[in-house]
Amino acid sequence: MRLDWQTFTLELAHPFRIAHGTSLTRTAVFVDLEGGLGEAAVVPYHGESVEAVTAYLEAVRERLADAPDTLQGRLERLPAEGSRAARAAVEMALFDLWGRALDAPLWRLFGLDPRRVPPTSFTVAMGAPEEMANLARAGAMPVLKLKVGSEDDLARLEAVRAARPDARIRVDANGGWTPETAHRLLPELLRLGVEFLEQPLPPEDRAAYAELRGRGLPLFADEPIKTVRDVVDWAPYVDGVVVKLAKSGGIAPARAQIETARALGLEVMLGCMVETRLAVGAAAHLAPLADHADLDGPLLIKNDPFTGLDYDGARLRLPAGPGLGVRPRT
């Protein structure tokens, strides 16, 4: 099968600061597999690099050369080791080809109802309190996810709540708090009406999560959730998990994680990296299965080269075209 790819620099609408650092741009690798499209998000703090993505794609090119002419047969040829983001990109392309061959969008082939897609949150990157308040006010989105994880977090939360008393607010520390900080701020988050707290502590400190859980604010795990086994292992410590295609390795692994989380009584938020409509559109086909959505990647980018996934405020309108339903802008 013909497999091509290109590296692309995503220009961000605003500086994107989280506990792991600040970005003005992000890197994506776009995949074209016989006309099926996919996207690999190159996120260094997830261990991804252009070199790792390229190495995986080179291996895939060889393994798909004589693969069976079926979706399942091709999926079984994908290497189990290596870049998860690259695997996700190739898998997106394979599902895109499958849907195009059947002339139907993936959500329809999966038997899902697009009316059940939850509203997406809009991410407000970490910054000075007034800067975050201005971004929250300007966006006027009903659901906000605030990035925190350093000094002055309480001032940031207070400023955003004052600017948007009507908003639903979620908080994501990207593992940037200590247990002491988390216990100190938890009553303040409850007072400010925060819905849930995402990855407050480093992933390796599960005992601290056990101490924090059950104190009135649901906890979600994000960074450590990459496999079904991770969902099972984290179930005793959190109330929900964040599932992302780039971490999971694609649509099918992400769906397996969602189903496992459901079986264990966990809530699910379907998320994304800073990605274009291509990768976020692929994830959106699974959104009817989630309790919460954080699929705002295209809203954070100035130069998204794809079309097909539309936003009506916080509502996602799932692609209507066959396969992923996402195409390059012309």
Side-chain angles (χ1 to χ4, degrees), residues 198 220-223 225-228 231 240-262 266-273 275 283 286 290 292-295:
E198 182 182 335
F220 278 64
D222 176 9
E223 276 84 348
I225 306 301
K226 298 179 180 179
T227 67
V228 166
V231 176
V241 292
V242 181
V243 175
K244 298 176 181 176
L245 268 59
K247 291 187 305 170
S248 304
I251 295 168
R255 183 165 188 173
Q257 291 178 26
I258 293 171
E259 292 170 351
T260 301
R262 286 275 179 254
L266 297 173
E267 290 191 55
V268 173
M269 181 159 75
L270 187 64
C272 64
M273 306 299 182
E275 296 167 309
L286 296 179
H292 313 284
D294 182 33
L295 297 174

Side-chain angles (χ1 to χ4, degrees), residues 146-163:
L146 309 187
K147 292 287 190 177
V148 298
S150 70
E151 297 180 2
D152 298 327
D153 280 344
L154 180 56
R156 294 180 173 109
L157 297 171
E158 295 271 16
V160 171
R161 176 51 81 198

Side-chain angles (χ1 to χ4, degrees), residues 279-298:
V280 176
H285 288 278
L286 296 179
L289 299 173
D291 301 290
H292 313 284
D294 182 33
L295 297 174
D296 64 337

Side-chain angles (χ1 to χ4, degrees), residues 196-203 205-214 217-225 230-242 261 264-268:
F196 57 79
L197 177 58
E198 182 182 335
Q199 206 66 52
L201 308 167
D205 197 355
R206 290 187 190 172
Y209 279 87
E211 293 180 1
L212 198 61
R213 190 182 184 193
L217 192 64
L219 301 181
F220 278 64
D222 176 9
E223 276 84 348
I225 306 301
D230 295 329
V231 176
V232 174
D233 289 346
W234 273 86
Y237 304 99
V238 294
D239 304 285
V241 292
V242 181
L264 295 171
L266 297 173
E267 290 191 55
V268 173

Side-chain angles (χ1 to χ4, degrees), residues 17-33:
R17 181 185 175 200
I18 62 175
H20 298 291
T22 303
S23 303
L24 298 176
T25 62
R26 290 290 180 94
T27 301
V29 178
F30 299 137
V31 167
D32 184 331
L33 179 62

Side-chain angles (χ1 to χ4, degrees), residues 45-65:
Y45 66 84
H46 279 290
E48 298 287 357
S49 65
V50 172
E51 292 75 17
V53 169
T54 300
Y56 189 94
L57 296 176
E58 292 282 8
V60 166
R61 178 180 275 164
E62 294 182 9
R63 297 189 65 159
L64 289 183

